[in-house]
Amino acid sequence: MLTLRTLPTLTLAAGLLVAVSAQAQQQLVPAQSSIEFAAKQMGVPMQGHFRKFDAQLSFDPAKPESSRIRFSVDTGSATMGARETDAELPKPVWFNVAQFPQATFESSTIKALGGGKFDVAGKLTIKGTSVNVSVPVVLTQSGATTTATGVLPIKRLAFKIGDGEWADTSMVADEVQVKFKLALTGVGKI
């Protein structure tokens, strides 16, 4: 039986259901997204990308401080376009895919900077090592698609990527630029 006492509870439940439904509709569109990385080996630029990644998000552009983003990358999907190099990347000295099949990012705070720009802070975990990072992100919208772009410089040695003889930064530079373009659906107006 519906009473005045149960009305606030039902209203709250309905509001939560609508909020959860809206958030559940936010999705990554992998076919329109990319994650690339660039480094230098003996001063020569080298580029690669990840073929498999996923995102779970609950993002409200009007209230970014209450938003959450979790991103995962299948480290075994890394490719630099050469069979020999691609065969080395999954090995323990590089990504150690057998023990650490995914790299993850989980947001802790998101701040609006204006003009579709956001600062997304959180924890980046690669090969079992977690580092707090801050990622500048630019959002643009076209129709129902929101595109998030940015570049995150990381130090590979902080994550033990390229151990042993490959730790020599005269061979492979420590700095790696991770560039992303993520197409998302279900995000509200910026």
Side-chain angles (χ1 to χ4, degrees), residues 75 88-102 127:
T75 56
E88 293 298 315
L89 292 175
K91 293 182 178 178
V93 72
W94 293 100
F95 285 118
N96 196 358
V97 172
Q99 189 171 355
F100 304 104
Q102 288 193 329
K127 287 182 75 174

Side-chain angles (χ1 to χ4, degrees), residues 33-124:
S33 302
S34 63
I35 300 177
E36 301 170 353
F37 55 92
K40 290 185 178 181
Q41 182 173 355
M42 295 175 38
V44 178
M46 298 182 65
Q47 296 186 351
H49 67 275
F50 293 96
R51 294 175 290 216
K52 188 175 177 188
F53 45 88
D54 193 22
Q56 298 82 42
L57 61 145
S58 169
F59 182 73
D60 182 352
K63 297 179 187 172
E65 64 282 351
S66 65
S67 300
R68 293 285 174 252
I69 299 168
R70 185 175 194 294
F71 194 78
S72 60
V73 175
D74 179 347
T75 56
S77 74
T79 180
M80 296 184 81
R83 190 176 327 152
E84 301 81 28
T85 305
D86 289 356
E88 293 298 315
L89 292 175
K91 293 182 178 178
V93 72
W94 293 100
F95 285 118
N96 196 358
V97 172
Q99 189 171 355
F100 304 104
Q102 288 193 329
T104 60
F105 172 80
E106 193 155 345
S107 68
S108 55
T109 60
I110 302 173
K111 295 179 186 171
L113 304 175
K117 296 178 182 176
F118 296 83
D119 179 64
V120 181
K123 193 168 299 256
L124 177 63

Side-chain angles (χ1 to χ4, degrees), residues 132-174:
N132 290 323
V133 297
S134 181
V135 186
V137 177
V138 176
L139 296 182
T140 56
Q141 291 183 317
S142 177
T145 303
T146 300
T147 304
T149 57
V151 177
L152 174 64
I154 65 168
K155 301 288 188 181
R156 69 178 178 85
L157 294 176
F159 299 99
K160 298 180 181 148
I161 299 172
D163 273 344
E165 67 182 286
W166 295 104
D168 179 359
T169 57
S170 69
M171 290 293 291
V172 179
D174 192 19

Side-chain angles (χ1 to χ4, degrees), residues 15-29:
L16 288 173
L17 183 60
V18 169
V20 168
S21 295
Q23 292 168 0
Q25 294 173 359
Q26 294 180 341
Q27 294 183 350
L28 176 71
V29 183

